[in-house]
Amino acid sequence: AQSVAQPEDQVNVAEGNPLTVKCTYSVSGNPYLFWYVQYPNRGLQFLLKYITGDNLVKGSYGFEAEFNKSQTSFHLKKPSALVSDSALYFCAVRAYGGATNKLIFGTGTLLAVQP
Amino acid sequence: NAGVTQTPKFRVLKTGQSMTLLCAQDMNHEYMYWYRQDPGMGLRLIHYSVGEGTTAKGEVPDGYNVSRLKKQNFLLGLESAAPSQTSVYFCASSARGGANVLTFGAGSRLTVL
């Protein structure tokens, strides 16, 4: 079965420190991987995606993610956290099969950045 | 540049009542989706559509029906609401193709008493 796991419900980091939000996946074939962010009482917003090519993907707001095929991981990173980065982060993978690009989402990780 | 618009934003129902959530997109996207978001469970796909006049079941379709009579609209119906359907519902749309990004609406919070 295809799935996405975000092992941490919450990540706490001090402003200015680097942050990592973890994601691992299980999918048949080559994955399409995505990160979305959700601010309170808002819909999800796209951050970045990996389709093919360079394993390090850069996205919005200074975020980046590294695709690691051997570890089936796609961790989200940022060199220096901001208080405004505090939000709920979702990793997602495209499910193979069918004529659609429906996504399977992880359970989400709450990022709390302390001033 | 409205993107994806959901109505209503909030609704309280009694068990057994019916209602319809409306999703409208102005990006000419082929694909549309309805997800529900519950604490600790992430987003789960209810139904989706790959084009006008077509719909398909997602991960958790029971208790819901959908229709896509016009390309820009995707309706989610609850015929007989149950407390287990208390949730936040998100509509999303995307262009055709696996690498394309989903654009989400702001969500509709439904409480079933």
Side-chain angles (χ1 to χ4, degrees):
Chain A
Q2 296 163 112
S3 63
V4 175
Q6 294 181 243
E8 301 155 317
D9 290 336
Q10 182 162 338
V11 170
N12 298 305
V13 64
E15 188 173 31
N17 284 0
L19 70 88
T20 298
V21 182
K22 296 179 180 177
C23 172
T24 59
Y25 66 89
S26 173
V27 68
S28 302
N30 294 322
Y32 292 168
L33 294 157
F34 302 79
W35 276 101
Y36 285 81
V37 60
Q38 184 180 32
Y39 298 101
N41 301 312
R42 303 284 298 275
L44 277 70
Q45 297 176 30
F46 169 73
L47 272 181
L48 51 79
K49 65 181 178 181
Y50 171 83
I51 304 302
T52 187
D54 193 348
N55 289 345
L56 186 63
V57 178
K58 294 188 183 297
S60 307
Y61 313 120
F63 284 93
E64 58 189 27
E66 186 169 12
F67 171 64
N68 187 319
K69 188 171 184 178
S70 63
Q71 297 186 4
T72 61
S73 67
F74 189 56
H75 300 332
L76 181 70
K77 300 181 180 183
K78 188 174 182 181
S80 178
L82 299 172
V83 172
S84 57
D85 292 330
S86 298
L88 187 58
Y89 290 81
F90 288 97
C91 181
V93 64
R94 179 197 167 182
Y96 259 73
T100 178
N101 56 349
K102 55 186 177 179
L103 294 179
I104 295 173
F105 284 86
T107 52
T109 298
L110 184 64
L111 174 65
V113 182
Q114 284 86 37
Chain B
N1 58 343
V4 177
T5 303
Q6 294 181 228
T7 53
K9 287 184 170 44
F10 302 94
R11 184 74 188 269
V12 178
L13 289 177
K14 294 181 180 178
T15 297
Q17 287 185 319
S18 63
M19 74 157 296
T20 300
L21 297 176
L22 171 63
C23 177
Q25 54 97 1
D26 61 2
M27 297 168 285
N28 202 34
H29 282 166
E30 289 291 335
Y31 296 167
M32 296 187 75
Y33 315 80
W34 275 108
Y35 285 90
R36 59 178 288 174
Q37 183 180 22
D38 302 291
M41 304 193 74
L43 276 78
R44 293 179 292 168
L45 183 64
I46 305 171
H47 286 281
Y48 63 97
S49 168
V50 299
E52 182 178 319
T54 70
T55 63
K57 294 180 180 179
E59 197 181 346
V60 288
D62 294 343
Y64 305 95
N65 57 75
V66 288
S67 64
R68 183 115 180 255
L69 299 180
K70 294 184 179 180
K71 184 176 183 179
Q72 64 267 34
N73 295 338
F74 194 30
L75 278 64
L76 178 71
L78 286 72
E79 290 184 347
S80 179
S84 61
Q85 294 178 304
T86 294
S87 187
V88 181
Y89 292 86
F90 287 98
C91 177
S93 70
S94 73
R96 194 192 309 254
N100 284 303
V101 170
L102 271 62
T103 300
F104 282 83
S108 297
R109 183 176 295 275
L110 175 65
T111 300
V112 183
L113 303 175

